[in-house]
Amino acid sequence: MKYLKSLAAAATLAASPLLAQTPGVTDTEIKLGGAHDLSGIFAPFSVPAVAAAKQYFDEVNAKGGVHGRKITYIVEDHGYQVPRAAQAANKLINRDQVFAMLLNLGTPHNLAMFQMMEPQGIPNVSPITAARQMIDPPAPWKFAGTASYYDAVKAAIAYMQENEGTKKVCLMILPTDFGKEIEAAVHELADGGSIELGAEIGHKPDEADFTGALGKVRESGCDTVGMALGISQMINAIATARKLGMDDLKFMLSSAGFHTVVAKGLAQQGVMDGVYSAAGWQDLEARLGDPEVAAWVEAYKAATGEAYPGTGALLGRAGAGIMVAALEAAGPDLTRESFIKAMETLDYEDKIAGNHVDFSAEDHEAADEIFVNKIENGSWKLVQTIE
């Protein structure tokens, strides 16, 4: 009889909320995970993004957290290597038992991690990649932060055709899922007869000499190069083109190149114009007069000791803001299901990113606007907004 009572007690305990708890959630804590490139070619995105997210979470935690729970953001470095990204996801999901993933960087890296996220329905929020695969095919747990590379590239080239005389486009890309997104957008325009396609050149992530590739661009007679490379690679390749006397050659970067570091780095190399990009957010520099933006910049500088928050920090703060807004909307009884439903109700102006966040059950892309920009004297200048 005692044995039967013990079994009954155990069954009751197993069915209790204590043991049926949502992974990563306790009465006092919410654990989030992020797999980042802290040491590779896109570290200029990840490093400040992590700093900005943690700075915002520290502010939220200092005020008592979200419904009494403090946010812990656990970060792993994959160095822009897919196998390491898979290892990072395995640790975060299976050992750390995170509630959701936030700001994971890299297209092929996210796709590799999806294999572990999908079986458990782990929310993937605001990944630092604008690949269409972040929400296509649709899944309840996928949430993208901004318009896709594909749509933004088409918008940028359309602007350059109309305003800058772009007719023939060459490609210099990493042969990854990231590079293929830019390639697909350019190919669609070429297939439709909108532009002519020239040389298509693949590059390695550690490649540093672009003289030969630019020679192929010259031979092809391209007036524009579509680029999908690492941050330092883009700066190096564009500066090399100017040193080779290719002064009229224009460069179209995806949102992965729409970064403060690129504009400032090119200025140091004497490149002040001829570079364009399109992204789902706005550059900070021109919006420092906005009180909310200025307040965040000062808070970030005080917390990190950095001179200025660049594009990576902007994306980190925007993604962290979406996360906190959804956690608040989900209420105290937090589950992944309640979080997903809360995400689908968000609708607000993000002053830091300069875009409009608007999710629904049918639309898991936070911001739909596309902002076309060009570099002028070391800064990004907004030239067109597409809503």
Side-chain angles (χ1 to χ4, degrees):
M1 194 66 166
K2 285 183 179 180
Y3 177 71
L4 292 176
K5 286 182 179 179
S6 297
L7 284 178
T12 300
L13 184 59
S16 71
L18 181 64
L19 294 186
Q21 203 165 39
T22 298
V25 178
T26 69
D27 289 341
T28 59
E29 183 186 36
I30 302 168
K31 288 196 290 187
L32 306 174
H36 281 274
D37 179 7
L38 304 178
S39 57
I41 61 174
F42 283 105
F45 273 101
S46 269
V47 172
V50 170
K54 288 190 172 183
Q55 180 259 328
Y56 182 60
F57 292 150
D58 286 345
E59 286 186 2
V60 172
N61 290 341
K63 296 174 182 177
V66 181
H67 300 296
R69 298 184 178 102
K70 304 290 182 72
I71 298 172
T72 300
Y73 189 35
I74 306 170
V75 173
E76 296 294 326
D77 177 24
H78 59 55
Y80 206 70
Q81 297 177 31
V82 174
R84 287 179 60 186
Q87 292 170 0
N90 182 54
K91 174 188 177 292
L92 291 166
I93 292 168
N94 296 316
R95 188 191 308 174
D96 298 317
Q97 294 278 297
V98 297
F99 170 73
M101 300 287 268
L102 174 68
L103 297 166
N104 290 333
L105 183 136
T107 303
H109 313 79
N110 271 274
L111 295 178
M113 292 185 281
F114 281 1
Q115 297 179 41
M116 282 171 270
M117 283 184 263
E118 183 173 18
Q120 298 183 47
I122 298 171
N124 192 51
V125 179
S126 294
I128 304 181
T129 163
R132 290 172 294 172
Q133 297 100 313
M134 296 306 101
I135 54 172
D136 186 17
W141 49 275
K142 293 180 180 179
F143 293 93
T146 65
S148 69
Y149 293 133
Y150 184 83
D151 291 335
V153 164
K154 291 202 297 182
I157 291 181
Y159 173 86
M160 294 174 72
Q161 284 178 288
E162 184 176 347
N163 298 279
E164 306 297 342
T166 287
K167 294 179 180 177
K168 187 171 185 179
V169 179
C170 285
L171 288 170
M172 294 174 64
I173 63 174
L174 297 172
T176 64
D177 291 292
F178 159 52
K180 290 175 184 176
E181 277 288 280
I182 283 71
E183 180 184 48
V186 173
H187 272 234
E188 180 173 314
L189 293 170
D191 292 343
S194 177
I195 59 169
E196 187 179 351
L197 187 61
E200 300 180 59
I201 308 159
H203 297 275
K204 297 178 180 179
D206 60 352
E207 194 167 338
D209 184 354
F210 299 96
T211 305
L214 289 164
K216 293 178 183 177
V217 170
R218 194 198 295 269
E219 291 171 7
S220 285
C222 289
D223 54 67
T224 301
V225 174
M227 236 176 220
L229 301 173
I231 296 291
S232 62
Q233 289 180 310
M234 285 184 270
I235 296 170
N236 186 4
I238 295 169
T240 299
R242 295 295 185 254
K243 290 174 183 176
L244 292 173
M246 303 169 77
D247 296 332
D248 294 331
L249 185 63
K250 297 176 286 291
F251 294 89
M252 186 283 303
L253 314 181
S254 71
S255 58
F258 180 53
H259 197 297
T260 313
V261 169
V262 173
K264 303 304 179 189
L266 286 172
Q268 291 175 1
Q269 298 285 336
V271 181
M272 299 294 185
D273 57 19
V275 182
Y276 302 78
S277 184
W281 65 90
Q282 297 189 59
D283 188 61
L284 276 175
E285 200 170 9
R287 298 182 294 116
L288 290 175
D290 183 298
E292 192 169 330
V293 173
W296 172 67
V297 168
E298 291 306 312
Y300 178 84
K301 287 162 63 176
T304 64
E306 293 183 23
Y308 184 79
T311 307
L314 177 152
L315 294 177
R317 172 60 180 80
I322 288 173
M323 175 62 69
V324 170
L327 290 172
E328 289 174 343
D333 296 325
L334 181 62
T335 65
R336 285 172 177 154
E337 291 75 16
S338 69
F339 175 81
I340 288 170
K341 288 181 180 178
M343 283 284 292
E344 293 172 345
T345 68
L346 298 187
D347 188 346
Y348 65 91
E349 295 293 330
D350 186 340
K351 290 293 186 70
I352 306 303
N355 58 24
H356 182 82
V357 172
D358 182 12
F359 290 106
S360 72
E362 293 75 33
D363 181 7
H364 279 200
E365 184 176 86
D368 300 318
E369 306 108 310
I370 296 172
F371 305 96
V372 183
N373 303 268
K374 67 178 180 179
I375 289 178
E376 283 191 359
N377 300 320
S379 298
W380 287 105
K381 178 183 177 182
L382 178 65
V383 295
Q384 187 177 67
T385 300
I386 302 168
E387 297 183 354

